[in-house]
Amino acid sequence: MTDFLLKIFVKNYRDTGNPAVHSAIGRMAGIVGIVCNCLLAAGKLIIGLTIGSLSVAADGVNNLSDTASSVVTVLGFRLAQHPADRDHPYGHARYEYLSGLAVSMLILLVGAELVKSSVNRIFHPVPVHFTVTAGAVLLISSAVKIWMAVFFRTLGKRIRSDTLLAAAADSRNDAAAGAAVLLSCLADRFFGVHIDGFAGLAVAVFILYSGIGIARDTISPLLGRRADTELEKQLSELVLSHEGILGIHDLLFHDYGPGQCYASLHVEMSAEENPLLCHDIIDDIECDALEKLHVHLVIHYDPVIENDAEQKEMQAFVEQIICGVDPRLSLHDFRIVRGAERAKLVFDLSVPYSMTDRRGEIRKKIDEELARSGRAYTTVIRFDAKA
């Protein structure tokens, strides 16, 4: 069904890295959400008011809030397509994240109101007039919500959209909440147990949980989270596949919204290569990254001296030292700067985030081991953090 809808409504739907395709898929998903949630909300509100069930009506209100959320989602994807301008040179793709945040606020507001109503019903229970029609509506609703959860999750993974993945989680929770509502109606009908208020409270908790999860997932990229590991892997493989690249390091991503990914990294190339040739290779890599991965890449060129025996020996010695400190440490940009009195070992040392407070200890350990070995070097170390 998902691919069928994509074929009908989205041109070139397989090119999910393309910002235009990304936006079109998001808008289509939002429209599907609007249609489904409107139908579900109407059915549940009518049935809930007819049989006097707060939990059924609460679930209908939840679907109504989901409809508003889908509207905001569609607007977010549309606004995200606005081109760059003088004040926003990196475009407006972060509107998608902001729409997700707005959705979470709506959900939290509705959830808080339903908590209040459900607590009141717990202390003042009212009999529920359950009918077969009501049961059928609730069963159909849960089935539709399960389908929507799968639909949104499939699209969310395909276009790497936190907004759609959040919508999938919300639909999954709604399906579970619908089951709780049906249980409360059956308990009232066959056992005379009035748990309608408790079921309504359970629905409200599901709503609040979903809202908090969506808020967390949309705030994270706005704060500057780490890039997707699969994208990191693909970009690294693409760069290393080009001739003349000896190694890469300091890969950084800057997320300005889906389809607006900027990255920078350092490439190591032989110092004996013609600089003009190296420049051409780097240009080709940057173009490939944009064409194949839709990443705006900027590369810093690090020339590496390959035939310096002393440098190779000292790099191996320092690597042995840092491996003894912690195998997770790694170095790059290693070189020897020879002065009039004493040579310097200059290099960058990558440390895990959990070890950044041990930089002084690591520097001291390296200097002590060099002195103990009788090698007359001073060190100039630049630390950078890594995952």
Side-chain angles (χ1 to χ4, degrees):
M1 173 64 91
T2 302
D3 284 336
F4 174 73
L5 291 173
L6 287 174
K7 288 178 182 178
I8 294 176
F9 295 107
V10 182
K11 293 181 179 179
N12 303 318
Y13 68 93
R14 296 188 185 279
D15 187 15
T16 54
N18 187 316
V21 174
H22 177 100
S23 179
I25 291 175
R27 292 198 304 272
M28 183 202 73
I31 292 170
V32 170
I34 291 171
V35 173
C36 292
N37 284 312
C38 278
L39 294 174
L40 292 176
K44 289 181 184 177
L45 286 172
I46 292 172
I47 294 298
L49 294 175
T50 300
I51 68 175
S53 170
L54 176 63
S55 57
V56 174
D59 207 20
V61 172
N62 181 31
N63 292 140
L64 201 58
S65 72
D66 291 340
T67 303
S69 300
S70 296
V71 171
V72 173
T73 298
V74 172
L75 290 175
F77 276 102
R78 182 173 292 279
L79 290 172
Q81 276 299 100
H82 284 186
D85 53 38
R86 180 188 298 179
D87 295 326
H88 306 90
Y90 299 104
H92 298 78
R94 282 183 175 173
Y95 266 121
E96 183 179 332
Y97 300 148
L98 294 176
S99 71
L101 189 58
V103 167
S104 70
M105 294 302 103
L106 279 172
I107 292 174
L108 290 172
L109 183 63
V110 170
E113 187 61 32
L114 289 178
V115 167
K116 179 181 175 181
S117 301
S118 298
V119 170
N120 182 64
R121 179 60 65 90
I122 289 173
F123 288 104
H124 304 90
V126 175
V128 175
H129 305 291
F130 180 73
T131 65
V132 175
T133 303
V137 168
L138 291 173
L139 282 175
I140 292 171
S141 171
S142 291
V144 171
K145 280 296 183 178
I146 291 172
W147 176 83
M148 289 174 66
V150 174
F151 176 71
F152 288 140
R153 184 172 179 79
T154 300
L155 292 182
K157 283 188 171 183
R158 189 170 297 186
I159 67 174
R160 294 174 179 167
S161 170
D162 287 332
T163 301
L164 293 185
L165 290 176
D170 190 30
S171 295
R172 179 200 62 204
N173 294 339
D174 287 345
V181 172
L182 179 58
L183 179 63
S184 73
C185 292
L186 293 174
D188 190 288
R189 172 68 176 81
F190 295 105
F191 302 102
V193 179
H194 305 305
I195 61 172
D196 186 48
F198 292 99
L201 184 60
V203 173
V205 170
F206 271 114
I207 294 172
L208 291 173
Y209 174 80
S210 176
I212 292 170
I214 293 173
R216 183 183 62 246
D217 291 340
T218 53
I219 289 173
S220 182
L222 290 172
L223 291 177
R225 70 182 175 191
R226 182 182 176 183
D228 178 68
T229 53
E230 181 62 26
L231 181 59
E232 285 188 7
K233 179 183 176 182
Q234 291 176 351
L235 184 59
S236 298
E237 291 176 348
L238 183 147
V239 175
L240 291 170
S241 69
H242 283 73
E243 185 179 356
I245 304 299
L246 302 177
I248 63 173
H249 56 86
D250 287 350
L251 173 56
L252 300 173
F253 282 91
H254 312 279
D255 182 6
Y256 292 95
Q260 292 296 327
C261 182
Y262 290 75
S264 61
L265 60 78
H266 292 217
V267 295
E268 298 171 358
M269 304 180 73
S270 174
E272 297 179 2
E273 287 282 4
N274 185 322
L276 294 177
L277 176 61
C278 292
H279 183 272
D280 287 342
I281 293 173
I282 288 173
D283 273 351
D284 289 341
I285 296 173
E286 291 173 342
C287 290
D288 281 352
L290 184 59
E291 179 182 347
K292 297 176 181 178
L293 301 178
H294 303 285
V295 174
H296 302 267
L297 180 62
V298 177
I299 296 177
H300 175 80
Y301 163 46
D302 285 334
V304 176
I305 300 175
E306 296 185 278
N307 300 315
D308 188 324
E310 181 185 0
Q311 179 170 304
K312 286 185 177 180
E313 177 189 351
M314 291 312 303
Q315 180 170 345
F317 183 71
V318 174
E319 286 176 339
Q320 182 180 350
I321 294 172
I322 65 173
C323 184
V325 175
D326 194 299
R328 293 175 296 171
L329 300 175
S330 61
L331 60 82
H332 56 83
D333 278 355
F334 189 96
R335 62 188 184 278
I336 297 178
V337 179
R338 296 175 175 86
E341 297 182 0
R342 176 175 287 194
K344 297 178 181 179
L345 301 182
V346 182
F347 56 93
D348 288 12
L349 188 60
S350 297
V351 301
Y353 288 105
S354 60
M355 294 180 63
T356 53
D357 59 339
R358 295 179 56 190
R359 288 175 291 187
E361 173 192 338
I362 296 169
R363 186 192 302 272
K364 182 179 179 181
K365 178 68 173 178
I366 294 172
D367 290 340
E368 287 176 349
E369 291 296 326
L370 285 170
R372 188 177 291 113
S373 70
R375 292 174 167 85
Y377 294 99
T378 58
T379 58
V380 178
I381 307 173
R382 294 182 300 182
F383 290 89
D384 56 70
K386 67 176 182 178

